[in-house]
Each structure stands twice: as structure tokens, then as C-alpha cells.
Amino acid sequence: MAERPEDLNLPNAVITRIIKEALPDGVNISKEARSAISRAASVFVLYATSCANNFAMKGKRKTLNAGDVLSAMEEMEFQRFIAPLKESLEVYRREQKGKKEARKDKDKKADSEEQDKSREDDNDDDDERMEEEEQNDEEEVDN
Amino acid sequence: MGVAAEDAGGAGPCAGAARAARLPLSRVKALVKADPDVSLASQEAVFVLARAAELFVETIAKDAFVYAQQGKRKTLQRKDLGMMLCWFSLFSFLGTLD
């Protein structure tokens, strides 16, 4: 793989904040401990991805979906995460739906006002959906 | 990109658990992309992974804190994470994270 693990780190500030909020007031965390937790979280995502991908492949799907990730949690023995994850997902779906509708209404309004409105800024919706145009089989296979 | 928790439609009863991910989705996406076997991942999948990683961090921190408390310390140190590191040696096939 071209990426080194250091490039796949999660932002320190966010990790630190999550840790601090999980612990009682007045508790600190050493830099080494924070760093170790951060790297562990990266490993967690990598492993969960791999696990989830197995479920996607089992279902003959090429796209990893939320259900696959939840199945991975079960598989990795993090069942206690499943309920809060489902709740978060519901909130997320509602937010995304609201955003889409807000954008549609905005576009409708703008269209009726300006006929030449450019649609360039709608592309961030597509950018958020991850796609790999070039599969690795054309590049190096370092397995 | 991360979704602001403030947009979560008013005061819901599940505000704590249902809070939107604070880890930037772009970074989580980079991790997902690192897997050569994964071709596509839905936005929702990336979101759930981000949220799961947050829960994981919370869990690890809380578990480690138990050890710090036993050592009568108020600062979490690397040695408190010893148990967790054993777990990760299982996943060493993912490469050395040192």
C-alpha cells in the first residue's frame, strides 16, 4: 500500500475532546496515551471497514452500506455500539433529507429568478459519495 | 465533512447517543479508501464508521481510566492502555502502527 499509517491519523484535537468528554472533570491524558488511542481508533476503522466489506461481498454488493458496518460491529463484538449507532444514523438520515429538500427548494426559487443559474455547487453532494474511479488492479498490487 | 450537532432538529431525548459525528468524514473516508478490497462506500457507511470510532475512543478511554484510578492517578497514561494494546496485536496484519 502506498499510504503509511501516519497519513491515516485522525485529528488530535477531536480525539482529545472525545476522550475528555468521556472522562470525569479534572482528569488529564498524557500525550502518549492520547496518541496511542488515536492510532487505535484508526486501526479500529480499518478493521471495521474490512469486516464490513466482507458482509457487502457476501451480499454480492460492491457498495459498502451502513448495514454492513453494523454487522461488522456485531462481528467484532461491539454489540453495545449498535443501538447508539442506529440512533445516530436516524438523525443523520433526517438531516441529510432536510438538507436535500432545502437545496431543492433553494434551486427551484433560484431557477425561477435566474434562468442561467450555474449548477456547479451541487457537486459537493456527489463529492461526498466516495468513488474510486481507478481500481487497484491497474496499479501495483502489493499484497 | 462533519455534520454540526446543532442541526439535529431540536432537543431530542437521544441527544447524547444520536449526536452527529465530530470526526471529519473526509479523514474516515481516507481510511476506508486505504483498503484495496473496498470499491465503494456509501456516505452513510462512512458516517456510521466515524460514529463507531468515536464510541470506540470513549470506551477505550473509560476502560483505561479504571486502571489510572487504581493507580490513584488523575492522568491517563500509556500504561493504562496495556489491555487494549494486546487486542491490537491481533490486528498486526494491518501493518505496524508502532
Side-chain angles (χ1 to χ4, degrees), chain A residues 10-140:
Chain A
L10 297 162
N12 281 335
V14 180
I15 296 287
T16 304
R17 195 169 359 127
I18 298 174
I19 294 172
K20 287 226 147 136
E21 289 181 11
L23 299 175
D25 282 338
V27 176
N28 287 315
I29 175 146
S30 76
K31 209 167 98 173
E32 292 75 25
R34 197 251 343 258
S35 176
I37 292 180
S38 180
R39 274 173 283 132
S42 292
V43 171
F44 175 84
V45 173
L46 290 171
Y47 187 59
T49 297
S50 175
C51 201
N53 197 45
N54 288 340
F55 285 102
M57 294 198 294
K58 256 193 242 173
K60 302 210 159 86
R61 279 175 286 104
K62 286 194 116 189
T63 304
L64 235 164
N65 63 30
D68 298 324
V69 179
L70 292 174
S71 301
M73 292 300 117
E74 177 96 45
E75 179 90 354
M76 293 163 67
E77 300 193 24
F78 283 104
Q79 290 92 340
R80 63 185 140 155
F81 286 3
I82 294 180
L85 286 176
K86 282 184 170 169
E87 281 181 62
S88 292
L89 184 57
E90 281 311 298
V91 175
Y92 180 74
R93 282 174 170 161
R94 272 183 269 141
E95 284 174 356
Q96 293 304 101
K97 200 170 164 214
K99 273 191 193 171
K100 268 207 174 116
E101 285 166 11
R103 236 187 307 222
K104 252 197 287 182
D105 290 341
K106 200 172 73 162
D107 288 347
K108 265 196 222 157
K109 253 177 106 180
D111 273 351
S112 61
E113 286 167 3
E114 305 163 24
Q115 306 221 310
D116 292 321
K117 177 178 156 80
S118 154
R119 293 227 174 230
E120 292 308 299
D121 27 326
D122 269 359
N123 282 342
D124 38 90
D125 215 18
D126 297 316
D127 284 347
E128 281 174 354
R129 179 172 170 156
M130 183 195 83
E131 283 175 62
E132 269 192 340
E133 303 278 302
E134 296 158 19
Q135 273 301 348
N136 286 349
D137 44 357
E138 285 182 24
E139 303 169 40
E140 89 274 310

Side-chain angles (χ1 to χ4, degrees), chain B residues 1-2 4 6-7 12 14-15 20 38-39 48-49 52-53 60-61 70 72 78-79 82 88 95 98:
Chain B
M1 298 303 286
E6 293 80 56
D7 292 341
C14 50
V38 175
S39 23
V48 179
L49 279 166
I60 293 286
Q70 285 174 1
K72 297 201 168 61
R78 197 158 194 279
K79 59 184 169 188
F88 282 105
D98 175 24

